[in-house]
Amino acid sequence: MTISLEEKPLSILFQHIEEQSSYQIFSRPQETDSCLVTVEVTNAEPISLLENTLKRFGLAVHNYTNYIFIVKEKPFVTSLPEGFGEKTTEITEESEEVSVWLSAFNNRDQKATSENKVYEIGSPTTDIPNKVILTGTVTNFKNGEPVTGASIYIKELQTGAVTDPYGYYKIKLPGGRHELQIQGIGLEDTKRQVVLYANGKLDIELQEQVYALREVVISSEKSQNVRRTTLGMERLEISAIKNIPTAFGEIDIMRIVMSLPGVKSVGEASAGFNVRGGSTDQNLILFNEGTLYNPTYLFGFFSAINPDVVKDMELYKSSIPAQYGGRISSVLDINSREGNKKQFKGAVSLGVLTSRLTVEGPLFKDKTSFILGGRTTYSDWILKQLPEKAVIKTEPRDSMI
């Protein structure tokens, strides 16, 4: 046969051989599509021509009757091993090679996915360009947001690209078939099969990666006091405060403080507390960095602080920091919540002696929020049951923070 080609794909060479002979040629596109050959022969024999041409690509030529198989780094077996299929068949190296071939040729029965689908960029032509530019965007499949810092890598070429803050990438590749490997932080790795005939665009969507974490067992917090540099400090979050048993449905911040080690009440019908032998006037109570001089109502029966707006509180019983100067016994620093910046929420609490209402929400979403809490007491009808007229005329007090 006579063939004259210059920098043409292998598929063109195969086409000329099939036209001038009785052979049929079979090959894997992913192994031959990117190979370009130059052939100038006259009266050549097909098998020898293919062997000499494909040797530099690491491709082997196998002939079986009128069929020619082009394979890469895999043995070619034309018959089953002796005794194959019997119940007592011993698995040999030759039978393993046969199973490899069977699985390879059955790949066409696999379910099509984005990873094994071949994307053609441009119109197929006999001339494949030396360089093409592939662009596109990488997005999150769940919400469509662009993925920043995702990598697109071509292993056989040792080249790649990284997406910018808008998820955009641009990469220059030789024409032909390539496998793109895509990776992103927190996203599942994937790949795409592309055949490049011209400049084009390929958008890629990545799935979120789900990690299976091992269980975490918390046995104690005994090392917390060792690692912490501040001594004699007790911290309570609102989640822990709400779990403490209450009387008549009223969460009292002052009563919760008195349940901590080293703190005790001054006595019945009193509004103060003592810390490690100190007196009431040696304690500093702060609410959002403002001094609170009277933290209770009605001789200590009701707290002046609405628990629904409290975020956390810290009680310093020793080693008081310098910014809290002026007290020698303790400092109780109470911080309020800033309000929900995402959505409007509210809470209502009805009790035997008091009721509370709290409303919070965004003024400007994700920027500014508000929180409003109010309390009232039913002490007026309780006081009316007392025989003393001076007590009956006492006006109840409401509080709002």
Side-chain angles (χ1 to χ4, degrees), residues 186-251:
L187 301 171
E188 188 175 349
D189 297 348
T190 185
K191 59 184 179 180
R192 294 292 185 272
Q193 307 289 338
V194 297
V195 180
L196 303 177
Y197 298 105
N199 299 339
K201 181 179 181 181
L202 177 65
D203 294 333
I204 303 169
E205 290 183 327
L206 297 182
Q207 297 274 5
E208 292 185 355
Q209 178 70 49
V210 179
Y211 296 94
L213 303 179
R214 294 182 297 176
E215 64 178 5
V216 177
V217 179
I218 300 176
S219 58
S220 67
E221 296 182 358
K222 63 181 180 181
S223 60
Q224 182 71 18
N225 292 330
V226 178
R227 293 194 302 262
R228 192 169 58 193
T229 58
T230 304
L231 302 177
M233 192 268 283
E234 299 285 346
R235 181 184 180 88
L236 286 177
E237 303 285 346
I238 186 61
S239 56
I241 294 174
K242 290 185 176 180
N243 291 331
I244 297 177
T246 60
F248 302 103
E250 176 70 16
I251 300 176

Side-chain angles (χ1 to χ4, degrees), residues 234-301:
E234 299 285 346
R235 181 184 180 88
L236 286 177
E237 303 285 346
I238 186 61
S239 56
I241 294 174
K242 290 185 176 180
N243 291 331
I244 297 177
T246 60
F248 302 103
E250 176 70 16
I251 300 176
D252 193 334
I253 300 296
M254 293 297 106
R255 296 295 177 186
I256 294 173
V257 172
M258 295 177 191
S259 66
L260 297 176
V263 184
K264 67 177 183 178
S265 173
V266 176
E268 298 297 334
S270 61
F273 59 89
N274 296 335
V275 177
R276 291 179 176 174
S279 60
T280 303
D281 59 351
Q282 295 173 343
N283 302 322
L284 175 62
I285 302 176
L286 300 175
F287 185 81
N288 287 345
E289 301 182 0
T291 303
L292 196 62
Y293 295 99
N294 187 14
T296 60
Y297 296 145
L298 196 59
F299 306 107
F301 285 105

Side-chain angles (χ1 to χ4, degrees), residues 28-195:
R28 292 190 178 94
Q30 61 266 32
E31 296 177 351
T32 60
D33 278 359
S34 59
C35 299
L36 301 179
V37 295
T38 299
V39 178
E40 190 71 37
V41 295
T42 303
N43 296 327
E45 197 275 328
I47 302 299
S48 300
L49 172 61
L50 287 173
E51 288 178 345
N52 295 331
T53 305
L54 302 181
K55 185 183 302 183
R56 65 188 182 94
F57 299 111
L59 298 173
V61 180
H62 299 276
N63 174 228
Y64 179 70
T65 64
N66 290 333
Y67 303 102
I68 297 176
F69 297 92
I70 310 298
V71 296
K72 186 174 185 179
E73 299 177 354
K74 284 190 180 296
F76 184 78
V77 181
T78 59
S79 62
L80 296 174
E82 185 179 354
F84 185 85
E86 297 179 2
K87 292 183 178 179
T88 58
T89 299
E90 181 181 359
I91 299 178
T92 63
E93 183 179 355
E94 186 179 4
S95 64
E96 291 179 355
E97 294 173 355
V98 174
S99 64
V100 170
W101 270 97
L102 292 176
S103 62
F105 281 102
N106 287 332
N107 282 342
R108 61 179 180 271
D109 298 328
Q110 294 180 354
K111 183 179 178 181
T113 64
S114 298
E115 293 192 350
N116 56 38
K117 177 182 177 181
V118 178
Y119 296 88
E120 294 185 353
I121 308 297
S123 301
T125 59
T126 57
D127 296 327
I128 297 179
N130 293 330
K131 292 293 182 180
V132 295
I133 297 178
L134 180 65
T135 60
T137 56
V138 180
T139 57
N140 190 316
F141 175 78
K142 185 176 181 180
N143 52 29
E145 290 289 331
V147 178
T148 303
S151 64
I152 297 90
Y153 182 69
I154 298 86
K155 185 177 181 180
E156 62 269 17
L157 300 178
Q158 298 293 311
T159 186
V162 179
T163 58
D164 62 10
Y166 305 100
Y168 178 81
Y169 72 91
K170 180 179 180 181
I171 185 171
K172 183 181 292 186
L173 300 170
R177 180 162 180 162
H178 303 283
E179 181 180 276
L180 308 181
Q181 298 180 0
I182 304 98
Q183 296 179 331
I185 299 176
L187 301 171
E188 188 175 349
D189 297 348
T190 185
K191 59 184 179 180
R192 294 292 185 272
Q193 307 289 338
V194 297
V195 180

